[in-house]
Amino acid sequence: MRLKKSCRPPRLRAFLSARPESPRIAEVHYLLGRTVTLRARARGFPGVPALDRAWSHLTSARALKYDAGAAWTLQADIATLLREQGLAFDAVERWRELLRESNNPDYTLELARALASQALRQPEQASSCLDEATARVDEYLRAAPPDRRLQGFLARARIFWSLKRYEEM
């Protein structure tokens, strides 16, 4: 997928600096965040600074009342990318922020998965991470409708399995 010339990041950044009061500024923030996120998925990890900038642009787009659902979806992609790259601490912080702002129950399970990843990478905090991950899954199970509870049970099993705590499953 190739962006139109008018939607390429250098032009979008120039637009941001030249027209900060434009009614299209929210869309420009969204497009900048979207561009980095989609490129990261297609071409590989661009680095934490690039993802931080994308996150900031998407947050700005939401604050300016641009399509919050689309921005949250891209921010969830960023948090997942961070977890996949082994940056569990950053992923946990991003999932916490998303959960705090959106109240999406699926993000509760993603936060639990990120906490499990953090427990694997920081053994000294494994117990507290696992406790919080378990609490998040329990929170999801209490709020989820019956047809969605299976996702919570599967997440709990994956968390315990990844930490080799088979007897607690």
Side-chain angles (χ1 to χ4, degrees):
M1 177 180 81
R2 189 160 169 84
L3 290 173
K4 291 189 284 183
K5 249 187 181 174
S6 62
C7 291
R8 291 193 181 144
R11 286 185 178 241
L12 292 171
R13 284 191 291 272
F15 184 91
L16 269 179
S17 60
R19 297 178 185 91
E21 300 300 319
S22 170
R24 306 275 251 170
I25 209 72
E27 184 179 3
V28 171
H29 279 293
Y30 173 78
L31 288 172
L32 280 166
R34 181 177 180 264
T35 301
V36 172
T37 307
L38 293 178
R39 282 184 179 171
R41 276 281 175 219
R43 296 184 189 162
F45 190 68
V48 175
L51 291 179
D52 283 345
R53 283 191 302 275
W55 186 275
S56 295
H57 284 301
L58 292 166
T59 300
S60 296
R62 281 190 296 104
L64 294 168
K65 307 297 184 221
Y66 193 76
D67 187 0
W72 277 324
T73 299
L74 291 171
Q75 287 181 309
D77 282 347
I78 291 172
T80 300
L81 277 168
L82 290 168
R83 190 186 78 222
E84 289 170 355
Q85 290 297 316
L87 301 166
F89 181 79
D90 294 322
V92 166
E93 292 307 311
R94 297 301 186 187
W95 283 117
R96 280 189 177 130
E97 184 178 334
L98 277 174
L99 186 59
R100 188 173 45 250
E101 294 176 8
S102 73
N103 287 324
N104 183 332
D106 293 332
Y107 294 165
T108 305
L109 291 181
E110 292 297 333
L111 173 57
R113 289 182 188 109
L115 285 161
S117 294
Q118 185 175 356
L120 285 171
R121 284 165 178 70
Q122 297 175 333
E124 66 279 357
Q125 294 180 351
S127 179
S128 65
C129 288
L130 182 61
D131 290 345
E132 185 178 352
T134 304
R136 293 296 181 159
V137 171
D138 290 344
E139 175 185 326
Y140 176 84
L141 290 171
R142 278 192 302 277
D147 61 327
R148 306 275 323 254
R149 287 193 185 127
L150 178 61
Q151 294 303 315
F153 292 122
L154 290 172
R156 177 184 287 156
R158 274 189 229 108
I159 289 167
F160 286 126
W161 187 266
S162 69
L163 296 170
K164 296 180 176 41
R165 294 185 137 179
Y166 311 115
E167 69 281 350
E168 294 178 44
M169 292 179 10

